[in-house]
Amino acid sequence: MKLRGATGWLTVTSIALLLLFLLLAITAYFSGKGVERDSVMISTDAVPGSIDAHAMKAAVGNCVRFSTLAAVTMDDGARARNLESARAAAAAFEAAFARYQATIRINPGKDHGLVDELASQFANFNRKRDAHEALLRTGDRARSLAFLESELLPAFVPVSTAADALVAYNNANADRLAQAIAANVHNLRLTTIIVVVLAVICGAILAGTLSVRRQAQEKLRENERRLRNTLDNLFVFVGLCEPDGTLVEINRSALEAAGCRREDVIGKLFHQTLWWTFSPDVQKRLLGVLQEAANGKVARFDIENRIADGNLITVDFCCGPLRDVDGGITHLVVSGIDITERKKLQEQILRAQRMEAIGTLSSGLAHDLNNILAPILMAAGLLKVKLDSPHDQKIVTMMETGAQRGAALIRQLLNFGRGSGGQRANVNFEHMIRDMVHIVEATFPRDIEVAREVGASLWPIVADSTQLHQVLLNLCVNARDAMPRGGKLLLRVENLRLDAAGAKACRIANPGNYVRLTVTDTGDGIPRAIIDRIFDPFFTTKPIGKGTGLGLSTVLGIVKSHDGFLTVDSEPGKGTTFKVYLPAVEQNDIALAAEPVAHLPRGNGETILLVDDEVAMREATKAVLEARGYHVITAGHGEDAIRLFVAHRDDTQLIVTDIDMPVMSGPELIRTVRVLEPQMKFLVMTGSTQGEKMTELAALGLGDILAKPCEPARLLKKVHAILNSTGAPALRP
């Protein structure tokens, strides 16, 4: 009975052990298969997918970067290389895209949805990149910059977002599969413990199970190694923190960028690591973001980050929670596609737009001021003829000189805004330097020592002497302000022959002969942080009321308008050197001033139709012309002029007209009159020499324009020359 009972229990125990063995065997088998399957998925789908998704994002980033560089560069060769690099980046994207499609296995439906979105966004981006490249090849740089900002850069954002979604999706798959492998490995551990107890019964199966386990672990280690290498070789900042902000993992790129070791940062609170210790404000902001991420929020923003050489870069930073399968937050993921260059390019585009707006404002203001000064100059010239008293002549001369100085200031305003030049002639730089030294010695503090060095046989340059005087004065005043405790100011002018190598080194110069002006002070110097901004309009470090921020902007505009360039070299505490390079000309290229005319030309009763909407200008010009023997009919705008021309068609020999007028503009008037009288002669007077209407006049064959304000002598000479010319320019299409 006892034996039977024991046998029964043995039988039951054997059956139980057999069932347990079968259960353990089944558990071990499927756990091993799960590890193998998930490992294969990580190595053949999740990791390659993550790599290819990162590659696509990097490629489209390079594509927009090189397209942007091509848009802002002035060098044709550099532009061509950047365009080629942009096309290569687009090809790299398509190659990574093809690789990604070949590895889709985990969830084809989800994968294809994300892939289709990325493909659609990239196709839209690539079309705009092709359009941008086409604009660049036409040479229309302004339109290409506008297209870059309004079309190409906005198109880059959805592509980057779609690539981020694909990266996040693959990272999530890798995390999910890794967690599944960990769970299966845990089951295998339990199976191993039980099988050891049942070694006699389960020995053979245990050996097979352990073999499967070893293979799975080897594959897992290989996949972990591959994932680590991938993260280490990404050119992005990737780290992992505990929920309290303690850094537990960081990739190699982040360490190398900061020039530090893992032991320098691992185990420290992330916001207190050396990347951020340069600024308490940045640390405070980062701490707040980490706390929000610990509560389940995701944040993305731009932040400054310190690198190995001590410089600061701008990082597109992202921080968010890493959750387990139950939704609990286990870690915080921190990452950041260095966007310093992109920010600089955006600033350059905004700077160009500001300059364009200032140019438009300057042009309009100059036009109005010219219309104010023009009748004053006309009236002054007329009074000089009529007044005999030396005292009266002196007063009129003072009035005329003041108006001429105002006109010179307007030309400087136009030059600052749009680069239009004034009247240019041969400039004696030696005399200008000598005069400036006299001004400085008479007005600057006594503790500033002034020296000048003038090279022998200076080459001639053709320039606006008033504008160059302004350049020299602005640079000297800046030097004075940089030496509040005294110092030395050196003015040097010399010849310089710039060969191809020297021009290439300057990057913004062409080979040739230059006259170089150097202004050096021993003052405080310019901080490195602001040296790139000193030529921005309205940028100044001086207190309110001490500076406008237009001095160096005006210098740059004048130098560029003379086809020159300038450089600046400064070291804080040791002074600053500005070098201005102006192209020299051959002697036979210099426009020599005309000999003065003893007597102004007179008319013989010729009828002139004068059209101008400014009453003062119209009356002053009429008085000048009538005083010299012409018969003048006046009109306030184009339509009045047409009616008067029809009434006096047989008598009118010349039409003098403004450009910008109400009702009908100057170009419209000229076209209409030429339909009625193709051989009619015209003289155009205008206070603005910029814009589309000037292009229209050139198309009409009227490229010789009389700029307001002008002296009566210039007007009378021009009228006499046109009336005595043969024929009139033919209407061009």
Side-chain angles (χ1 to χ4, degrees), residues 42 65 251 277 281 413 435 458 471 582 609 648:
I42 288 179
R65 180 166 68 88
N251 69 330
T277 52
D281 291 337
L413 184 63
D435 294 342
L458 292 178
V471 167
L582 297 170
L609 175 56
H648 301 275

Side-chain angles (χ1 to χ4, degrees), residues 389-455:
S389 167
H391 177 71
D392 292 341
Q393 285 282 335
K394 183 178 181 180
I395 294 175
V396 173
T397 300
M398 290 172 57
M399 180 176 67
E400 187 177 41
T401 301
Q404 289 172 343
R405 290 184 61 188
L409 290 174
I410 292 171
R411 287 195 296 272
Q412 290 185 30
L413 184 63
L414 279 173
N415 178 68
F416 165 72
R418 294 195 174 186
S420 62
Q423 296 179 353
R424 300 183 180 184
N426 186 17
V427 173
N428 189 322
F429 234 139
E430 182 176 359
H431 293 169
M432 186 175 293
I433 294 291
R434 183 189 61 199
D435 294 342
M436 184 54 61
V437 169
H438 290 163
I439 292 173
V440 168
E441 289 177 340
T443 61
F444 280 21
R446 297 293 183 182
D447 56 2
I448 294 180
E449 178 185 353
V450 184
R452 72 171 184 264
E453 297 177 4
V454 179

Side-chain angles (χ1 to χ4, degrees), residues 189 238 304 437 649:
R189 289 194 181 100
V238 181
E304 286 190 320
V437 169
R649 180 172 180 175

Side-chain angles (χ1 to χ4, degrees), residues 391-648:
H391 177 71
D392 292 341
Q393 285 282 335
K394 183 178 181 180
I395 294 175
V396 173
T397 300
M398 290 172 57
M399 180 176 67
E400 187 177 41
T401 301
Q404 289 172 343
R405 290 184 61 188
L409 290 174
I410 292 171
R411 287 195 296 272
Q412 290 185 30
L413 184 63
L414 279 173
N415 178 68
F416 165 72
R418 294 195 174 186
S420 62
Q423 296 179 353
R424 300 183 180 184
N426 186 17
V427 173
N428 189 322
F429 234 139
E430 182 176 359
H431 293 169
M432 186 175 293
I433 294 291
R434 183 189 61 199
D435 294 342
M436 184 54 61
V437 169
H438 290 163
I439 292 173
V440 168
E441 289 177 340
T443 61
F444 280 21
R446 297 293 183 182
D447 56 2
I448 294 180
E449 178 185 353
V450 184
R452 72 171 184 264
E453 297 177 4
V454 179
S457 303
L458 292 178
W459 291 326
I461 62 171
V462 172
D464 185 325
S465 59
T466 301
Q467 291 181 349
L468 289 192
H469 186 274
Q470 187 71 40
V471 167
L472 194 55
L473 180 62
N474 285 1
L475 293 178
C476 288
V477 169
N478 274 7
R480 178 202 65 188
D481 295 342
M483 298 185 289
R485 295 168 297 279
K488 183 175 181 180
L489 172 63
L490 172 64
L491 305 180
R492 179 190 294 120
V493 61
E494 58 194 331
N495 295 332
L496 177 67
R497 194 178 304 277
L498 206 59
D499 57 15
K504 185 177 181 181
C506 292
R507 292 187 295 179
I508 54 176
N510 295 317
N513 295 335
Y514 290 84
V515 176
R516 180 170 67 185
L517 166 67
T518 302
V519 179
T520 300
D521 66 68
T522 58
D524 296 333
I526 303 172
R528 184 171 56 182
I530 67 169
I531 197 166
D532 291 335
R533 301 180 58 196
I534 60 174
F535 294 106
D536 287 357
F538 308 112
F539 175 79
T540 180
T541 58
K542 299 176 183 178
I544 296 176
K546 297 295 184 180
T548 63
L550 290 176
L552 290 179
S553 300
T554 302
V555 168
L556 181 61
I558 292 174
V559 172
K560 284 187 174 181
S561 74
H562 285 77
D563 298 322
F565 66 97
L566 71 136
T567 62
V568 57
D569 182 25
S570 183
E571 185 173 349
K574 295 186 177 180
T576 302
T577 296
F578 285 92
K579 294 181 179 180
V580 177
Y581 297 76
L582 297 170
V585 296
E586 298 294 335
Q587 186 66 35
N588 54 13
D589 289 335
I590 299 174
L592 298 177
E595 291 293 327
V597 180
H599 301 285
L600 296 177
R602 292 189 59 87
N604 293 312
E606 296 94 333
T607 298
I608 298 175
L609 175 56
L610 174 63
V611 191
D612 199 306
D613 60 315
E614 292 286 338
V615 176
M617 180 64 190
R618 194 167 64 237
E619 294 302 320
T621 306
K622 177 182 179 181
V624 168
L625 292 172
E626 288 182 339
R628 300 304 294 177
Y630 297 104
H631 176 237
V632 182
I633 306 170
T634 61
H637 53 73
E639 283 193 1
D640 281 348
I642 295 296
R643 286 192 290 269
L644 288 171
F645 176 75
V646 171
H648 301 275

Side-chain angles (χ1 to χ4, degrees), residues 175-224:
D175 181 61
R176 177 175 59 81
L177 292 171
Q179 292 172 352
I181 290 172
N184 284 324
V185 170
H186 178 70
N187 292 336
L188 287 174
R189 289 194 181 100
L190 292 177
T191 301
T192 302
I193 295 172
I194 298 174
V195 169
V196 168
V197 177
L198 304 173
V200 176
I201 302 173
C202 306
I205 298 176
L206 180 60
T209 303
L210 290 175
S211 177
V212 173
R213 179 186 175 191
R214 284 193 299 270
Q215 292 175 6
Q217 289 178 333
E218 190 63 35
K219 288 183 179 180
L220 180 61
R221 284 193 293 268
E222 176 62 23
N223 289 334
E224 289 177 348

